[in-house]
Amino acid sequence: MLGRGSMLVSSLFPLGVSGRRAGVLALLVWALVACRRAPEVSSDEVGEESSPAVLTIDAMDNEQHVLRGGFSVEAGVFRVELYEGSVLLGEALLEEGRWSIPWQPGVGSEFLEVVAYAMAGTEIRTRLDFQRLSFTEPEGLYAAEALLALPTEPDITTRYTLDGTAPGPSSPVYTTPLVLLNKRGQPAPLSLIPTNPDTSPETWRWKPPATPPVLATVVRLQRFSGETPVGPAEARTYLIGQGATSLPVLSLVTDAEHFFGHDQGIYVPGRMHDPSPEGTAGWGTGNYMQDGKEWERPVHVEWFEETGAPVFAQNAGVRIHGSGSAALPQKSLRLYAKEDYGPESFQADFFPGHPLRDFKRLLVRTSGQDQQNSKLKDCVLQGLLRETRLALQACRPTVVFLNGEYWGLHEVRERYDEYSLASHHGLNRKKVVILEGDGLLDTGEAEDAIPYAELLAYVREHDLSVPEHFAHVEARIDVEDFIDYHVAQLYFGNEDWPENNIKFWRHRGGSATPGAGDGRWRWLMYDLDAAFARGAEANSLGRLLRDERMAEPFVVLFRGLMTSPGFRERFVARFHWHLDNTFAPERVLARLDATVELLAPEMPQHIARWRYPESEASWRDEVQRLRDTLARRPEVMRRLLQEELGSP
């Protein structure tokens, strides 16, 4: 509202008076009213500063070609003009502290200037200089306010969207450069969609963001000949006027229905929750608990380095990843590179120092159940084992945006499958066999589960303290791999193992040359979110050796091998070596602290978005508990080795 002076101006000059003449008349009337109603000013009030006048350019409707902004109501603004260079484009429409004016950028547009005239006779100015971007060039993620040129061709119509939706025949037609401005203060509707039921336990129930999420601008385009699409849909993501993060950025773009629709959305409870909300194991039910091709959705993927430099952009498939953790508010994803969508692999240097840069599948992981606590355990602990021969998942902490909305901290990870194992070891992927649990088939043919079942049967029926019986088993498993794997799991005190999160693999028809292709079973390390759940004192070794509650198929091989004096000696010696080297406190704490330093700048924004961990202070408390455990664990394990196995 402009006050009585403005109302009086409106009544005196309702029609026919505009422009600067009206402004002069308005100033005279305003001054008259001000003189009549001017309050007395005490000596204490003299010199007090008034609120600074504000004038902004903050939104552009590219479809309707309308530029918008705001101004301080208390400044008594009665007219706002828009200039392009030195050319007056017109006078804006004013309403409740907002202004708007039709405008289309031209080929030569370089900057705009907005001038607001106040009734006190002052002018407020703001200027906007444009960066020029081209959709067809590999532009960076971070940009100043910009004019974006989309590609055009004769007899082809370019249509676009700015909300993540795939452009269709009725989407806006591109005619002039798109104006990209900072989206601060604009709605973030996806972040307000509950991602688990309101009946979920309060400790992991979805909560709305504490503050408005950071917003990126997502531009999707599709070329058309008439109503027929020409070529694939494309997308570009820009963070306009935003500071750089300390981490790489992954931008995912898809129709909102693919993630949040009741019937087909993979990120919500949806139709799979309605008939039987209880589910099993306390996690409930939901669309996010489904898997398989039926629950794969198309997505556009862009990857940017910390500097904002683009690495790749391509169409792909996406599914929810994980079991129980899928019921938590923030969910892990699995990306598929397929010919159905575009390139058949993701080709990039995702992981510094990693031997591979070609991946069929990638995980975008939220740290599983640890997302509410330290949010770094699995990534850090697997990283400690890089110098062993164990199969491990490379890890890169990453910030994710979904349809331009800040989606928080994730980890880009390798996924264990026939493609990754074959690539690492130069094997035929069609001969890679992966089993899980107590010997269930994950990858391969039905008969591929038989050799492992036969191995367990042999262990049950034979005394492995007899050298030839042990030799029979040693010919079928990589004993060194088995030892390293179990040493690590026992040191970590993993409470969600071995009756869960256990996989092992072999190459069918192995060669005579020792190595990954020799046909012996080897183990896969993953999902260490429950590591150290019982603290530094947990007797994980005693649990694995004696706990009768553990299902026999999960412990029969380890317990059988421990009857062999030779194996037992090798196991104890290797455990002590790892405690002195791999798990030396100074080494472990240095790795932990480096990751904490990497994540710390991003944690406040992540916590504001998801409300888990509960606060930055609680996150640091959790990290400190982990530090204390890591510092004490080697001493505890040495004592347990002596108590359980009589080692010196």
Side-chain angles (χ1 to χ4, degrees):
M1 299 294 292
L2 297 181
R4 290 185 58 186
S6 329
M7 293 166 52
L8 185 55
V9 170
S10 299
S11 63
L12 290 174
F13 309 111
L15 295 171
V17 179
S18 61
R20 296 187 180 273
R21 183 182 175 198
V24 172
L25 293 173
L27 283 171
L28 292 172
V29 174
W30 182 86
L32 177 63
V33 173
C35 289
R36 288 182 177 178
R37 302 183 67 250
E40 293 184 4
V41 180
S42 69
S43 58
D44 291 336
E45 293 174 315
V46 174
E48 287 188 358
E49 294 184 2
S50 58
S51 300
V54 175
L55 180 65
T56 62
I57 305 172
D58 53 33
M60 176 69 182
D61 185 333
N62 284 283
E63 183 178 357
Q64 300 297 324
H65 305 296
V66 176
L67 185 68
R68 295 187 171 92
F71 57 87
S72 305
V73 174
E74 60 270 22
V77 170
F78 66 91
R79 188 172 76 256
V80 172
E81 294 176 345
L82 178 67
Y83 291 83
E84 184 172 346
S86 60
V87 178
L88 173 64
L89 299 181
E91 185 174 333
L93 175 68
L94 308 186
E95 183 177 3
E96 298 290 340
R98 300 291 297 168
W99 61 264
S100 61
I101 187 170
W103 176 64
Q104 292 189 56
V107 176
S109 297
E110 294 183 357
F111 72 90
L112 294 176
E113 187 171 32
V114 178
V115 182
Y117 298 93
M119 292 182 178
T122 58
E123 294 181 1
I124 312 167
R125 294 174 178 267
T126 189
R127 172 171 165 150
L128 182 62
D129 290 274
F130 291 113
Q131 178 181 355
R132 289 195 169 273
L133 301 176
S134 172
F135 190 94
T136 57
E137 298 296 326
E139 307 286 359
L141 173 66
Y142 302 103
E145 289 79 3
L147 297 180
L148 174 66
L150 304 188
T152 59
E153 301 176 40
D155 302 322
I156 296 294
T157 302
T158 299
R159 296 183 181 271
Y160 70 92
T161 62
L162 299 173
D163 63 357
T165 304
S170 60
S171 297
V173 175
Y174 172 75
T175 55
T176 61
L178 302 181
V179 181
L180 307 185
L181 304 179
N182 188 309
K183 298 183 71 173
R184 187 180 296 110
Q186 295 190 26
L190 303 185
S191 69
L192 300 178
I193 299 174
T195 55
N196 63 18
D198 58 9
T199 54
S200 300
E202 189 172 357
T203 53
W204 45 271
R205 189 180 306 159
W206 175 88
K207 300 174 183 177
T211 58
V214 171
L215 298 177
T217 297
V218 172
V219 182
R220 298 189 74 177
L221 72 78
Q222 175 69 65
R223 300 169 180 84
F224 286 87
S225 176
E227 294 192 355
T228 304
V230 177
E234 299 178 66
R236 294 287 184 274
T237 303
Y238 304 94
L239 273 168
I240 304 296
Q242 300 283 354
T245 71
S246 60
L247 299 171
V249 171
L250 187 72
S251 174
L252 304 176
V253 181
T254 187
D255 285 9
E257 284 292 305
H258 292 152
F259 269 54
F260 305 104
H262 183 267
D263 290 332
Q264 62 172 335
I266 62 175
Y267 217 92
V268 291
R271 64 180 171 89
M272 302 304 294
H273 172 75
D274 295 343
S276 54
E278 294 80 13
T280 59
W283 293 112
T285 59
N287 292 1
Y288 41 70
M289 289 293 191
Q290 311 309 303
D291 55 20
K293 184 68 170 66
E294 179 188 353
W295 291 91
E296 181 178 308
R297 302 290 179 257
V299 66
H300 184 83
V301 184
E302 290 177 274
W303 171 265
F304 302 89
E305 288 290 356
E306 295 96 325
T307 60
V311 179
F312 76 86
Q314 68 186 68
N315 295 324
V318 60
R319 303 181 195 177
I320 294 294
H321 176 78
S323 51
S325 64
L328 300 179
Q330 189 190 27
K331 307 177 194 303
S332 298
L333 303 170
R334 193 183 306 162
L335 301 179
Y336 290 80
K338 293 182 177 180
E339 186 179 7
D340 296 351
Y341 304 109
E344 295 186 50
S345 65
F346 301 106
Q347 296 186 5
D349 293 320
F350 288 100
F351 312 109
H354 194 271
L356 302 180
R357 68 177 314 278
D358 194 307
F359 302 89
K360 283 290 292 182
R361 294 161 186 170
L362 290 169
L363 301 183
V364 185
R365 197 169 185 269
T366 63
S367 302
Q369 280 88 345
D370 189 43
Q371 67 178 264
Q372 299 171 293
N373 301 308
S374 79
K375 202 163 175 61
L376 50 72
K377 265 195 285 193
D378 188 55
C379 194
V380 169
L381 298 182
Q382 282 202 50
L384 296 175
L385 305 171
R386 293 290 169 212
E387 295 172 15
T388 70
R389 294 186 302 160
L390 289 170
L392 303 168
Q393 297 167 297
C395 177
R396 188 95 177 267
T398 301
V399 170
V400 172
F401 282 80
L402 178 60
N403 280 12
E405 295 189 23
Y406 177 81
W407 219 246
L409 275 169
H410 293 68
E411 303 158 356
V412 172
R413 310 290 297 268
E414 282 186 278
R415 179 177 185 254
Y416 289 134
D417 56 28
E418 66 274 28
Y419 294 99
S420 65
L421 293 170
S423 295
H424 272 286
H425 302 290
L427 304 175
N428 182 347
R429 70 170 179 83
K430 295 183 179 180
K431 292 185 177 182
V432 170
V433 176
I434 303 175
L435 304 185
E436 62 182 348
D438 58 359
L440 299 174
L441 184 68
D442 175 273
T443 301
E445 307 295 334
E447 59 270 19
D448 287 329
I450 296 174
Y452 186 75
E454 292 175 341
L455 173 63
L456 296 191
Y458 185 90
V459 173
R460 293 184 185 103
E461 297 165 5
H462 295 79
D463 180 1
L464 299 192
S465 66
V466 177
E468 56 265 34
H469 296 164
F470 175 79
H472 178 90
V473 175
E474 189 172 27
R476 286 157 178 79
I477 73 169
D478 183 332
V479 170
E480 301 305 323
D481 180 275
F482 185 86
I483 290 174
D484 278 351
Y485 174 81
H486 280 77
V487 167
Q489 292 282 15
L490 292 170
Y491 165 81
F492 295 145
N494 189 356
E495 288 290 311
D496 203 14
W497 173 90
E499 293 177 294
N500 192 29
N501 296 323
I502 181 168
K503 289 188 178 184
F504 34 97
W505 74 284
R506 66 186 286 264
H507 188 249
R508 187 194 313 116
S511 69
T513 304
D518 61 15
R520 293 184 294 168
W521 294 105
R522 291 172 170 82
W523 277 257
L524 302 174
M525 182 72 66
Y526 70 102
D527 200 343
L528 300 173
D529 304 327
F532 306 118
R534 296 184 184 273
E537 296 290 331
N539 188 355
S540 52
L541 179 56
R543 172 175 174 257
L544 193 63
L545 288 170
R546 298 189 312 275
D547 194 334
E548 295 182 353
R549 294 169 297 179
M550 301 190 75
E552 186 263 1
F554 297 97
V555 296
V556 61
L557 185 54
F558 180 79
R559 291 176 182 178
L561 285 166
M562 290 299 286
T563 65
S564 166
F567 175 86
R568 190 185 185 104
E569 182 180 346
R570 290 162 66 181
F571 176 80
V572 171
R574 186 64 170 165
F575 213 133
H576 279 290
W577 185 91
H578 278 299
L579 294 175
D580 292 338
N581 295 277
T582 307
F583 304 131
E586 61 275 13
R587 178 178 186 269
V588 172
L589 294 178
R591 297 291 182 94
L592 173 63
D593 290 344
T595 302
V596 170
E597 185 179 355
L598 189 66
L599 299 186
E602 198 63 34
M603 287 305 298
Q605 188 168 208
H606 173 86
I607 291 169
R609 169 61 183 88
W610 288 105
R611 314 279 291 280
Y612 298 104
E614 183 178 316
S615 66
E616 191 175 0
S618 69
W619 175 67
R620 291 193 177 277
D621 288 345
E622 188 68 30
V623 169
Q624 186 58 48
R625 281 191 288 272
L626 182 57
R627 292 186 92 259
D628 295 342
T629 298
L630 291 169
R632 294 176 51 215
R633 187 63 171 167
E635 176 188 350
V636 171
M637 290 310 305
R638 288 188 182 93
R639 186 183 77 240
L640 293 175
L641 286 168
Q642 199 282 325
E643 292 173 356
E644 297 290 345
L645 301 177
S647 73

